[in-house]
Amino acid sequence: MNVPSGTTLLFVAPEPDTPLGRSLRASDEVRLRTATTRETVRSRDPASLDCVVVTDDVPDPFAVLEPVFEASTPVGTVLLGYDGDPRDAARCLEVGVDRYVVADESEDVAAAVRDAVAEATVATTRNHHERLVEYASDIIAVYDPRGRISYINDAVTDVLGYEPEAVTGTDPITRVHPDDRDAVRSFFAALRDDAEETRRLTYRLRAADGSYRVLESIGRNRIDDPELGGIVINSRDVTEREARKSELELRESIIEVAPIGLHVLDADDTFLWANDAFASVFGRTPEDIVGTAYLDLVEAGYIPDDITDWYKTALRRLLSTDDDTQTLRREAVPVEPPDGNTRYFDVYLALLPLDDGEFAGSVIAFREVTERNRYERRLEEQNERLAEFASVVSHDLRNPLNVASGRLALARDDDSATDSNLEAAETALDRMERLVEDILSLARDGRVVGSLHPVELSGAARTAWSTSATGDATLSVRDELGAIRADETRLQQLLENLFRNSVEHGSTSNRPRADATVTVTVGPLADGFYVADDGPGIPVDERPRLFDMEDDGRFGLSIVETIATAHGWDVAVTESEDGGARFEFTGVDAV
């Protein structure tokens, strides 16, 4: 039997430089090392040796071999007996020496030793491999070409709960999950048909308790190996790993598709990772962003400059606390993406797990709140309008009160007109009651206007005129006004304020005294209507602040703008044909 090529042999003898020693040294297969004492042998690393040959003329040869027996690395052992003592042969069996060779002058001792070395090395390696197989945590099985198990180690009991004897000789395909059987058949067929084939497969196999375990198998074709004669498959239980993998993949999928922009910065504020939701805000991909500096987005004008100061301050706060799960938030950060449409995000900041106590970076989430911010702004504006509206309630109520008071005074002085004056007073008081009810409704539901319905503009104008203190002024209503969609009460309130404004500010000092009264006209526009008078008009430089409530003289005009805006109308001030004021309302829905 030939010594395996490259075998490292330790030859222990009182005098290694003997014909035997020189013969072993001359062998092409052997790398010879020599020793003379137990201490020398102990100083050697067993991992560097394949076999040890000890001659029985060394003092206490079995003690010399003790360091080799104690080593965890398998090493072949041979004892060469020159006197052929039977007790040495029995001791070899007792302590586990692999081969005992008796020197015989009629034989080639060197050849006998080389054969013993070869047998001891192979036997030791095989025994070692067998022990590894028996005690391995992975399932190691040999399958014959038909797919039946010819050998399986004890790990099958720990992993799947089957005794080796119960599964030897069976085809395990019946225990494979039905959805994985085709893949397993293809896996085995590829191994069986190609002597050089090595394959890997992950699949589910039913355990003895009825549950399915996920196995990862590596198969190798060893059919031509006379000692194996089959396909060797090493299987590992990866159920927990696959579960964690699936959970991780699910989390990654959720993170990728979540409508929340996420990114990770390192300690130098460089992007380590970003998801699509974050990158797309800036018209980029995650690959474009990773590796770039966070400040690049600030310098590009996408993110406001003050976010840097907030980030640094927030980091100091997080690093100064013992709670590494704390999160800080900044609300409604304006972002200017490349398309120019400002978007708003709540920004959440947390720390990455510290690296040996050192700051490693941060995790930042961008949650878009553009619609919420717009709603809050609209609500704020509406509340401001409501506050303005409430501040002029007394102004709105004063007009019908004045009408009622005036009519009652006339009734007291003129008995012949009592009924008509009282009727006018009652109408004014009714109007005032409706205003109070509308204001209460407004306070309850927060709306400047209620439901919109078709309203005849000419009728609304005449009704508003009748409830306004107009004195000797004249109303002119064009017949072609038609109907519009509006809140009738609010529309009437708008017209009342315009009429009162025209009457109060319409005295014409430049006219002859006989023509000192004002005429108010309500007429149509292509997409709305106008209210004009022939008074002195409004100077151009005063028009931009005409609807400013801070001007105590024009509360009514502020109400006009509020009601128009609530309807979705645009209001503009210009000059009438007679040189007076003209208020134009456009964007009005005609019926």
Side-chain angles (χ1 to χ4, degrees):
M1 187 174 184
N2 294 326
V3 176
S5 179
T7 297
T8 300
L9 175 64
L10 177 63
F11 180 46
V12 185
E15 178 53 57
D17 189 19
T18 61
L20 174 59
R22 289 192 291 272
S23 176
L24 294 174
R25 188 183 300 278
S27 173
D28 294 333
E29 296 85 3
V30 173
R31 292 193 295 267
L32 188 66
R33 305 288 186 266
T34 60
T36 58
T37 63
R38 177 185 179 187
E39 288 69 24
T40 308
V41 174
R42 186 172 290 277
S43 67
R44 300 280 184 175
D45 179 12
S48 64
L49 304 174
D50 296 306
C51 190
V52 177
V53 176
V54 181
T55 60
D56 65 356
D57 55 351
V58 172
D60 199 351
F62 293 103
V64 171
L65 288 172
E66 284 180 0
V68 180
F69 295 144
E70 293 170 359
S72 58
T73 304
V75 179
T77 52
V78 177
L79 179 63
L80 175 61
Y82 285 112
D83 58 6
D85 189 336
R87 289 175 299 179
D88 287 343
R91 186 71 188 280
C92 284
L93 292 174
E94 179 182 344
V95 300
V97 175
D98 294 308
R99 292 292 183 270
Y100 178 58
V101 177
V102 179
D104 189 336
E105 294 182 359
S106 63
E107 294 180 353
D108 185 345
V109 175
V113 170
R114 280 196 296 271
D115 288 343
V117 168
E119 293 171 357
T121 302
V122 171
T124 300
T125 301
R126 180 182 295 116
N127 291 338
H128 176 63
H129 288 170
E130 289 175 355
R131 288 195 297 271
L132 287 178
V133 168
E134 288 303 319
Y135 296 110
S137 59
D138 292 352
I139 300 173
I140 301 174
V142 179
Y143 293 75
D144 65 24
R146 296 179 302 167
R148 297 183 180 278
I149 298 173
S150 59
Y151 167 82
I152 194 166
N153 67 342
D154 292 338
V156 70
T157 304
D158 296 331
V159 176
L160 297 173
Y162 297 112
E163 293 297 330
E165 298 79 11
V167 295
T168 301
T170 67
D171 183 351
I173 195 66
T174 57
R175 300 184 184 92
V176 175
H177 192 283
D179 293 344
D180 297 338
R181 288 176 184 173
D182 288 344
V184 171
R185 289 190 180 99
S186 298
F187 167 75
F188 189 84
L191 289 171
R192 181 188 57 208
D193 297 341
D194 189 343
E196 303 299 325
E197 188 73 16
T198 297
R199 289 211 167 199
R200 183 188 301 266
L201 179 67
T202 301
Y203 57 98
R204 289 162 291 179
L205 190 74
R206 189 177 65 251
D209 62 5
S211 66
Y212 280 94
R213 307 297 296 176
V214 181
L215 300 184
E216 180 183 65
S217 294
I218 300 175
R220 297 176 179 83
N221 186 321
R222 294 292 183 266
I223 293 176
D224 295 336
D225 187 327
E227 295 189 9
L228 295 173
I231 295 171
V232 179
I233 297 180
N234 185 312
S235 301
R236 175 172 299 179
D237 185 357
V238 294
T239 304
E240 300 303 324
R241 185 196 74 184
E242 290 299 306
R244 290 194 300 271
K245 180 181 176 182
S246 297
E247 182 179 355
L248 181 60
E249 289 174 348
L250 177 61
R251 289 180 180 178
E252 290 177 348
S253 297
I254 292 173
I255 289 173
E256 285 300 326
V257 302
I260 297 178
L262 297 171
H263 59 277
V264 178
L265 300 178
D266 66 13
D268 297 321
D269 299 339
T270 298
F271 285 101
L272 290 176
W273 176 86
N275 69 347
D276 286 330
F278 177 77
S280 62
V281 172
F282 309 99
R284 303 183 183 183
T285 66
E287 292 75 19
D288 297 332
I289 287 181
V290 172
T292 65
Y294 191 84
L295 281 177
D296 289 351
L297 297 180
V298 177
E299 293 173 355
Y302 298 142
I303 299 177
D305 293 341
D306 62 355
I307 196 71
T308 303
D309 293 335
W310 174 82
Y311 177 71
K312 292 178 180 178
T313 301
L315 278 184
R316 285 194 293 270
R317 283 186 57 189
L318 291 174
L319 289 169
S320 64
T321 181
D322 294 333
D323 183 5
D324 58 3
T325 64
Q326 185 176 354
T327 300
L328 296 180
R329 179 178 69 169
R330 180 174 179 180
E331 295 185 348
V333 175
V335 173
E336 300 290 343
D339 61 10
N341 295 319
T342 303
R343 299 165 67 178
Y344 293 87
F345 294 84
D346 283 352
V347 178
Y348 299 81
L349 173 66
L351 296 178
L352 282 176
L354 300 181
D355 185 7
D356 293 331
E358 297 293 327
F359 173 57
S362 58
V363 180
I364 303 172
F366 269 45
R367 178 173 175 267
E368 185 162 11
V369 293
T370 302
E371 289 304 317
R372 186 195 74 186
N373 192 67
R374 289 174 180 166
Y375 172 77
E376 290 175 349
R377 287 177 180 270
R378 288 195 299 269
L379 186 61
E380 183 178 346
E381 292 171 358
Q382 187 179 50
N383 288 338
E384 290 175 357
R385 289 198 300 269
L386 288 173
E388 293 174 359
F389 201 78
S391 70
V392 295
V393 167
S394 60
H395 179 266
D396 278 338
L397 296 178
R398 189 184 306 122
N399 189 48
L401 275 174
N402 289 339
V403 172
S405 298
R407 293 289 185 169
L408 288 173
L410 288 173
R412 291 190 188 98
D413 296 338
D414 186 359
D415 293 338
S416 63
T418 298
D419 291 342
S420 62
N421 285 331
L422 290 177
E423 183 179 348
E426 184 179 8
T427 300
L429 291 173
D430 287 343
R431 171 63 181 151
M432 189 170 124
E433 183 178 357
R434 287 197 303 272
L435 281 172
V436 170
E437 290 176 353
D438 288 344
I439 291 168
L440 290 174
S441 175
L442 175 66
R444 284 192 296 268
D445 61 23
R447 293 178 298 169
V448 174
V449 297
S451 300
L452 305 184
H453 302 283
V455 180
E456 288 291 338
L457 189 53
S458 59
R462 291 188 176 93
T463 301
W465 186 264
S466 69
T467 56
S468 300
T470 55
D472 295 330
T474 302
L475 174 66
S476 174
V477 178
R478 301 291 173 86
D479 294 335
E480 64 272 25
L481 280 177
I484 63 172
R485 290 183 60 79
D487 180 327
E488 185 172 5
T489 300
R490 295 287 178 254
L491 174 61
Q492 188 173 333
Q493 188 179 2
L494 176 147
L495 292 169
E496 287 174 351
N497 280 280
L498 287 174
F499 295 161
R500 184 168 58 249
N501 179 77
S502 294
V503 171
E504 291 177 355
H505 301 280
S507 60
T508 53
S509 59
N510 59 339
R511 294 176 180 165
R513 189 170 182 80
D515 192 26
T517 59
V518 65
T519 297
V520 180
T521 302
V522 181
L525 294 173
D527 62 340
F529 63 94
Y530 69 86
V531 177
D533 62 51
D534 58 357
I538 301 171
V540 175
D541 59 345
E542 292 184 15
R543 293 174 188 173
R545 56 187 179 85
L546 187 64
F547 300 108
D548 190 349
M549 279 192 58
E550 294 180 0
D551 186 342
D552 291 337
R554 294 199 177 95
F555 276 125
L557 294 185
S558 176
I559 296 171
V560 167
E561 183 190 41
T562 300
I563 294 174
T565 302
H567 278 85
W569 304 338
D570 294 321
V571 57
V573 183
T574 184
E575 185 175 305
S576 70
E577 294 178 355
D578 298 316
R582 174 174 163 133
F583 293 83
E584 296 182 345
F585 299 88
T586 55
V588 180
D589 290 335
V591 178

